[in-house]
Amino acid sequence: MTDTLPPGLTVTADGPVRTVLIDRPDELNAVNADLHRGLAQVWRLLAADTEARVVILTGAGRAFSAGGDLAWITSFLDDPAARDESIREGAEIIEELLRFPLPVIAAVNGAAVGLGASIAVLCDVVLMSESAYLADPHVAVGLVAGDGGAAFWPLLTPILRTREFLYTGDRIDAATAVSVGLASRTTPPDALLDEAHALARRLAAQPVEAIRGTKRVVNMYLTQALAGPLQAGFAAEVVSMQTDEHRERLRGLRRHAR
């Protein structure tokens, strides 16, 4: 069923546990057009998998996901149709994650930046390697943090902390992420996947309808609280994508990355 996914995202099965791997390790799992589309599609495919009970989401190599691929994002400067499609897909990723009926465990093995941070924090349980970190640097590149950070983080962590993190784009180390409510717990780097699989097996053994119903009720609060802020956030992000300051900062980042 998942062989229809675009490149950059793979799904493997281990009994009732499905592992979704963000798989662009040479690019630190940065999100390009294919991976973005895959992140929007994979949750519907897994929801239709009648044997699945729990999902682990993690990254290949050193990073969970280093955010948007610079070449892809830069293409939006001259391609408004691609820009608008990315916004539509971004909303779909968040909506599908919130609607997904099974528990999702994020195993954050390294940098989780921008959209990478958003999808990690949207998972039901967030396990972080002690060497991993979160960051949402949208503002630093002239963008509104519209794809989840500005809308979602204030539901989980004190607003005064959220503002500082979002306004500066500073890294949030694993211990701090746990202390402010952006992650569940930390693990030693070499124990992360073992911990994730142990928890996945435990959740997979729970009564199916009881855990699904509990998730559905919990996520009702999130869905209701996010309805307005997410729409406003994506609309504001589109406006900021068209500013001269964003254009200059993005091109500066690309020059620095070469």
Side-chain angles (χ1 to χ4, degrees), residues 94 118 136 138 143-151 229-237:
I94 292 173
S118 292
D136 192 329
H138 277 76
L143 291 177
V144 171
D147 66 358
L230 273 177
Q231 291 181 4
F234 280 117
E237 189 170 359

Side-chain angles (χ1 to χ4, degrees), residues 22 28-31 35-36 39 43 57-59 63-69 90 93-94 97 104-128 132-138 145-154 156-157 162 165-166 169-174 177 180-184 230:
I22 305 172
L28 299 180
N29 299 322
V31 179
L35 178 52
H36 203 249
L39 287 168
W43 307 108
L57 177 64
T58 194
F64 181 80
S65 173
D69 181 90
I93 291 168
I94 292 173
L97 258 173
V104 183
I105 301 166
V108 183
N109 53 303
V113 178
L115 179 60
S118 292
I119 61 174
V121 171
L122 280 165
C123 294
D124 297 282
V125 180
V126 183
L127 305 182
M128 287 188 70
Y133 65 87
L134 307 174
D136 192 329
H138 277 76
D147 66 358
F152 194 75
W153 289 14
L156 304 176
T157 193
T162 297
F165 296 146
L166 293 174
D170 287 349
R171 295 181 179 186
I172 307 167
D173 63 67
V180 300
L182 291 173
S184 306
L230 273 177

Side-chain angles (χ1 to χ4, degrees), residues 172-205:
I172 307 167
D173 63 67
T176 301
V178 171
S179 71
V180 300
L182 291 173
S184 306
R185 53 188 166 92
T186 66
T187 75
D190 58 359
L192 176 66
L193 288 179
D194 288 341
E195 291 276 349
H197 280 279
L199 179 59
R201 288 191 294 270
R202 183 178 176 191
L203 296 183

